Amino acid sequence: MRTTRRIIPFALLSGLLLSCGSEHRLARVRISQPGVREATTDTACKVPEQIAWTDDKGERHIVTRAEKDSVTGEEITSVELSEITVMARSKQVAERNGKINLDFVVTVPRELVSNKWQLQLAPVAYKPSDTLYLDRIFLSGADFAKMQKRGYMRYQAFINSIIPDSLYLQKLFDGKGYRKALAELEEEYFQAWKHEVLQKERWIDWSDKANARFALFNWRVEQNRRAIAGYNSILEHLPAYWMTRELEGKYIPSRWRMFAEGGYKIRTRSISPEDSAAITRRFTDYGKMAENQKRKEQAGAMYDKYVRFPYEPARLDTVIREGNKFVYYYKQELPATENTKRIDLTLDGLILSKDETRTPLPPSDTITYFISSMVQFLDRTPRYKKKIVTRKDEVSLRAYVAYKTGSTEFREETGNNRSEIDKVFKAIRSINYTGEFLIDSVLMTATSSPEGDAGMNLFLSRGRATELKKYLARRTEDAKGVDTIFRPAWRGEDWERLRGLVAKDDTLRHRPELLRIMEETRNPDIREHALRKYPEDYRRIREKHYPLLRGVEFLFHLHRRDMIQDTVVMPVIDSTYMAAVRMIEDRRYKQALALLDEHYPADYNTAVCLMSLGYDARALEIMREQRDTSDRNYLLAILYSRLGRKEDAVKSYVRSCDQDAGKIWRGRLDPEINTLIETYNLYKDEY
């Protein structure tokens, strides 16, 4: 019977320990985190380090006392677990098309499956230059999965209680009350306006009646005056003969005086933004808003509180009930890299309990996969080609030198002049460093851009070439050497270079017309003026291309040291072919095939590259035409096997082994050959 270790509640353990001599039969032991150890009464029994017993099924159990971690002070429990079996289907893996397929079977015994925990398995692949962490497998117990789901549900319930910003008006704002208050204020403003309108109408009615009454009174006064006119009568001192009445101050009631004074306008009020804002504040629940904002800020903390066991990325996350064994077929495709001849696979494991106890599984055994690749059959012999070497050679270099307008003086501080001339000296040092060449002369030709007068530009380019030579002499402190080797020349406006730049510029809308002008117009000044008929294109030419015309072309005339003949034929490394070989070694098969197909379509390594890409029929045609070697026949056996020609495959494999006995053991690494060995019992005594 396999011995396992399980954790039981400490209360149960205390009951067992306090009983000392009594016997207890446990029908079932539950897995849980031991709580904080309670103080026990003083007994004569000493608490043992371990307790072991056998249940009704005859299974032996061991309970281990919790210990305190020396660093954190937390109680930890050591648990002895049954092993997890990882079985590879085959330890020989073929690299094909730049990929490696690893497959293995993971078997988890039922002793490691419990409703109370989650078993996490993490395959790790170790390559010579890299470590790859493969997708994990999670086996969650039923109770653990329920708790995990319940945590997310509680967190989601909390999130659902948070009012999103888009629902603030719906949840935190009394829209009905707002609209009612708005209507009431609008009615209030209307009634105030209506009251003033009615008051004015009443004033008009009253003033019309008062004016009519006063007019009658004044008419009667006037009649009285006319009656006594011409007479010196005492009657004229009576009010009825002299007093007239007008609608003014004392006769106008106070409620209407504002209308009588004139200039008064009836107030017309509408709902203002200030009114709307004030009403909005009345019907917005700022308390709930603050509470809602607080909930938003608590979202992270609540996630940590409720989601104690978050879902993590995994290839498989399944619920499994205790008592069930688990078997999983695992397949993983990995990229093949340079010199990948083996891959070591291990399995890391962890048990995560409901009480957040983390129990790592013991390290698993290592499975070693041996990787077979067609790259191992590459012909790495250096390939040479004939090259005609001439005694004389030339090297050109262009320096973009800037000058002040109308000036020929070379100044280091202008533009990038210093760094541009540094390129010339660097080229001279590199030529002298190799010792292969000697400098005969350096032709330095100054050019200019076409704006301005052509004759003036020719004069400027001449002066600039001469001044640059003087600068070189001063900088090298070898005036004699510079005078001997450097030969100044000048070309003025560089129309040839400009024509090439314009021909390559796809952004020019009138490029054909511009090229035609430069080809057909003989006078350079008229030619440059004609380009201006296309303002947009000319602006780009002047800004982008003209600066590239202002410079000095350095042409180095060289000859090879100690070489007498004008030409010599000598072998040199075929760099293109060797580059293709390196691409195959780096598993860049398609790039390599592009080079090999173009230059070496019938080469041995071309066939190897085709095999690596799965183009077996074409690879077979090429491989059959190669020399009769052990490697060639071994690859033929693989190709015949892939194409279903088993008899030819066996013949080629046997022929390869006859030429090189090492192919007998190599055959186990390639699935195509291994199938032949198993099917036809080849070299049975050798294994």
Side-chain angles (χ1 to χ4, degrees):
M1 180 70 62
R2 177 175 293 163
T3 301
T4 63
R5 291 187 180 182
R6 300 194 178 190
I7 309 170
I8 64 174
F10 191 83
L12 179 60
L13 175 61
S14 301
L16 288 172
L17 301 180
L18 293 174
S19 64
C20 294
S22 62
E23 294 183 359
H24 292 266
R25 296 184 63 187
L26 303 176
R28 184 177 180 184
V29 179
R30 297 186 179 275
I31 309 297
S32 64
Q33 168 89 18
V36 178
R37 190 178 290 111
E38 299 178 356
T40 59
T41 58
D42 188 14
T43 67
C45 300
K46 183 180 179 181
V47 179
E49 295 295 325
Q50 291 183 343
I51 294 179
W53 77 95
T54 304
D55 61 14
D56 298 6
K57 298 179 180 180
E59 185 176 359
R60 188 167 179 266
H61 301 267
I62 299 176
V63 178
T64 306
R65 287 184 58 191
E67 301 175 352
K68 285 193 176 183
D69 186 84
S70 59
V71 179
T72 63
E74 298 177 347
E75 290 189 342
I76 57 176
T77 301
S78 172
V79 182
E80 184 180 315
L81 302 170
S82 301
E83 66 178 4
I84 296 176
T85 303
V86 183
M87 181 179 65
R89 296 185 66 188
S90 176
K91 293 186 179 182
Q92 289 78 38
V93 182
E95 179 261 305
R96 299 293 184 264
N97 301 327
K99 303 293 182 181
I100 301 170
N101 287 310
L102 301 184
D103 56 352
F104 51 92
V105 178
V106 180
T107 304
V108 181
R110 61 182 181 86
E111 291 86 357
L112 284 181
V113 179
S114 171
N115 292 335
K116 302 292 190 294
W117 65 45
Q118 181 186 70
L119 179 62
Q120 300 181 358
L121 304 175
V124 184
Y126 298 93
K127 301 170 69 175
S129 59
D130 196 11
T131 299
L132 303 176
Y133 296 91
L134 309 185
D135 297 337
R136 294 178 295 175
I137 300 172
F138 292 165
L139 305 180
S140 303
D143 295 346
F144 185 94
K146 290 179 182 177
M147 182 188 65
Q148 203 176 19
K149 183 179 180 181
R150 187 163 56 249
Y152 275 98
M153 291 176 64
R154 294 179 68 185
Y155 174 69
Q156 189 60 45
F158 175 81
I159 293 297
N160 292 340
S161 69
I162 299 175
I163 302 172
D165 295 347
S166 59
L167 297 180
Y168 267 25
L169 290 178
Q170 181 179 341
K171 300 292 186 179
L172 302 177
F173 181 71
D174 185 2
K176 185 177 180 181
Y178 171 81
R179 290 188 294 272
K180 183 180 179 181
L182 207 64
E184 291 175 351
L185 182 61
E186 190 175 13
E187 179 66 19
E188 180 184 338
Y189 287 164
F190 172 74
Q191 293 297 333
W193 172 83
K194 182 179 178 182
H195 175 74
E196 290 191 0
V197 170
L198 293 174
Q199 285 290 92
K200 189 172 184 179
E201 289 178 351
R202 292 185 183 119
W203 150 254
I204 293 172
D205 292 341
W206 182 87
S207 62
D208 289 344
K209 292 177 181 180
N211 284 327
R213 192 167 55 250
F214 288 173
L216 179 61
F217 180 85
N218 293 335
W219 179 80
R220 288 178 178 176
V221 170
E222 185 63 26
Q223 292 298 319
N224 291 338
R225 286 179 179 177
R226 290 179 180 180
I228 64 173
Y231 300 97
N232 187 11
S233 174
I234 195 170
L235 294 176
E236 65 182 2
H237 296 285
L238 296 175
Y241 291 88
W242 62 266
M243 187 179 69
T244 59
R245 293 181 178 179
E246 294 181 2
L247 195 60
E248 58 185 12
K250 63 181 180 178
Y251 297 110
I252 301 174
S254 59
R255 65 181 179 273
W256 289 327
R257 284 177 185 170
M258 56 186 177
F259 300 113
E261 292 173 357
Y264 181 81
K265 294 182 179 180
I266 297 177
R267 293 175 299 173
T268 303
R269 294 188 63 182
S270 58
I271 304 296
S272 67
E274 292 78 10
D275 295 331
S276 180
I279 297 174
T280 301
R281 287 192 292 270
R282 285 171 51 195
F283 293 95
T284 301
D285 195 336
Y286 289 100
K288 286 187 177 180
M289 188 179 295
E291 182 182 351
N292 190 71
Q293 183 62 30
K294 186 177 180 181
R295 284 179 170 269
K296 286 183 179 180
E297 297 170 356
Q298 292 176 338
M302 299 306 291
Y303 179 87
D304 297 335
K305 177 181 178 181
Y306 293 136
V307 185
R308 295 161 53 199
F309 305 100
Y311 296 125
E312 299 181 37
R315 172 169 298 192
L316 177 68
D317 191 349
T318 186
V319 178
I320 187 170
R321 297 188 178 275
E322 63 184 12
N324 298 331
K325 185 173 77 170
F326 177 80
V327 180
Y328 182 73
Y329 172 65
Y330 198 111
K331 187 175 182 179
Q332 179 69 49
E333 184 182 81
L334 301 178
T337 56
E338 187 178 2
N339 297 325
T340 303
K341 297 181 179 180
R342 59 178 284 173
I343 294 178
D344 295 324
L345 180 74
T346 62
L347 190 73
D348 297 337
L350 176 71
I351 288 181
L352 181 59
S353 301
K354 289 175 58 177
D355 58 6
E356 302 187 47
T357 300
R358 294 175 175 268
T359 306
L361 297 180
S364 69
D365 293 334
T366 300
I367 299 176
T368 300
Y369 294 89
F370 297 97
I371 312 301
S372 65
S373 171
M374 300 300 99
V375 174
Q376 298 168 1
F377 292 94
L378 274 176
D379 182 5
R380 296 173 174 82
T381 305
R383 183 68 59 90
Y384 294 89
K385 63 180 181 180
K386 294 181 180 179
K387 181 181 179 181
I388 300 176
V389 180
T390 59
R391 180 176 182 274
K392 294 185 178 295
D393 204 349
E394 292 181 350
V395 176
S396 63
L397 172 67
R398 186 170 183 84
Y400 297 96
V401 182
Y403 294 90
K404 291 184 178 181
T405 304
S407 175
T408 61
E409 182 184 4
F410 178 84
R411 302 180 65 89
E412 288 185 347
E413 62 273 12
T414 303
N416 297 322
N417 286 354
R418 176 75 184 194
S419 60
E420 289 294 317
I421 299 302
D422 285 346
K423 295 191 303 183
V424 178
F425 287 104
K426 184 178 179 181
I428 295 174
R429 286 194 297 270
S430 63
I431 294 172
N432 293 332
Y433 179 78
T434 61
E436 182 180 1
F437 291 95
L438 295 175
I439 301 176
D440 294 327
S441 64
V442 180
L443 182 64
M444 41 185 295
T445 305
T447 60
S448 67
S449 53
E451 71 264 42
D453 182 73
M456 183 62 180
N457 289 333
L458 179 63
F459 172 78
L460 289 174
S461 63
R462 177 179 180 179
R464 289 168 179 175
T466 304
E467 290 298 319
L468 182 58
K469 181 178 179 179
K470 294 178 181 178
Y471 165 79
L472 295 174
R474 290 195 305 271
R475 182 168 171 179
T476 59
E477 297 182 355
D478 185 11
K480 185 177 181 181
V482 171
D483 186 64
T484 303
I485 296 178
F486 286 85
R487 300 177 181 179
W490 47 92
R491 193 161 55 241
E493 299 174 355
D494 196 351
W495 284 99
E496 182 179 354
R497 187 175 182 82
L498 178 62
R499 189 180 297 110
L501 294 172
V502 172
K504 296 178 181 178
D505 193 344
D506 297 332
T507 63
L508 298 174
R509 295 179 58 187
H510 303 89
R511 183 170 55 175
E513 292 85 350
L514 297 171
L515 292 173
R516 186 167 56 253
I517 291 172
M518 287 188 282
E519 292 175 359
E520 297 178 355
T521 308
R522 301 177 77 73
N523 188 296
D525 293 333
I526 298 175
R527 187 190 305 154
E528 204 272 341
H529 183 74
L531 298 179
R532 305 185 184 216
K533 291 192 299 183
Y534 308 99
E536 293 183 5
D537 290 342
Y538 180 77
R539 187 181 304 109
R540 175 171 175 80
I541 292 174
R542 185 161 186 168
E543 293 176 357
K544 300 295 182 181
H545 301 323
Y546 275 12
L548 301 179
L549 307 180
R550 308 174 192 129
V552 180
E553 188 81 26
F554 291 85
L555 182 61
F556 294 84
H557 295 278
L558 314 173
H559 75 270
R560 283 183 168 80
R561 188 189 300 270
D562 301 327
M563 185 172 176
I564 300 175
Q565 298 179 350
D566 290 338
T567 58
V568 174
V569 179
M570 58 185 303
V572 294
I573 293 288
D574 192 339
S575 58
T576 302
Y577 183 85
M578 300 312 296
V581 173
R582 288 192 296 272
M583 289 178 184
I584 297 176
E585 291 177 335
D586 296 338
R587 274 66 175 178
R588 294 181 291 160
Y589 299 121
K590 292 184 178 180
Q591 299 178 27
L593 185 60
L595 290 178
L596 294 171
D597 242 356
E598 181 179 358
H599 302 285
Y600 317 95
D603 189 78
Y604 169 87
N605 285 336
T606 304
V608 173
C609 187
L610 290 168
M611 289 181 65
S612 301
L613 290 169
Y615 302 137
D616 300 323
R618 188 182 164 197
L620 178 61
E621 294 178 4
I622 299 173
M623 192 61 70
R624 291 176 60 182
E625 302 301 322
Q626 306 304 314
R627 292 188 302 109
D628 183 14
T629 63
S630 176
D631 287 354
R632 173 255 195 183
N633 291 321
Y634 188 89
L635 295 179
L636 281 177
I638 292 177
L639 290 170
Y640 283 132
S641 180
R642 291 182 184 180
L643 297 172
R645 299 168 59 174
K646 301 299 182 182
E647 184 177 349
D648 292 332
V650 171
K651 291 180 179 179
S652 297
Y653 177 58
V654 172
R655 172 67 175 165
S656 175
C657 294
D658 291 341
Q659 294 171 313
D660 180 8
K663 296 296 192 299
I664 298 174
W665 294 275
R666 164 72 195 203
R668 288 292 190 182
L669 299 179
D670 294 294
E672 300 93 343
I673 303 299
N674 191 52
T675 301
L676 299 177
I677 294 173
E678 296 292 338
T679 304
Y680 301 101
N681 290 323
L682 301 177
Y683 303 103
K684 185 178 180 180
D685 297 336
E686 300 290 340
Y687 296 100

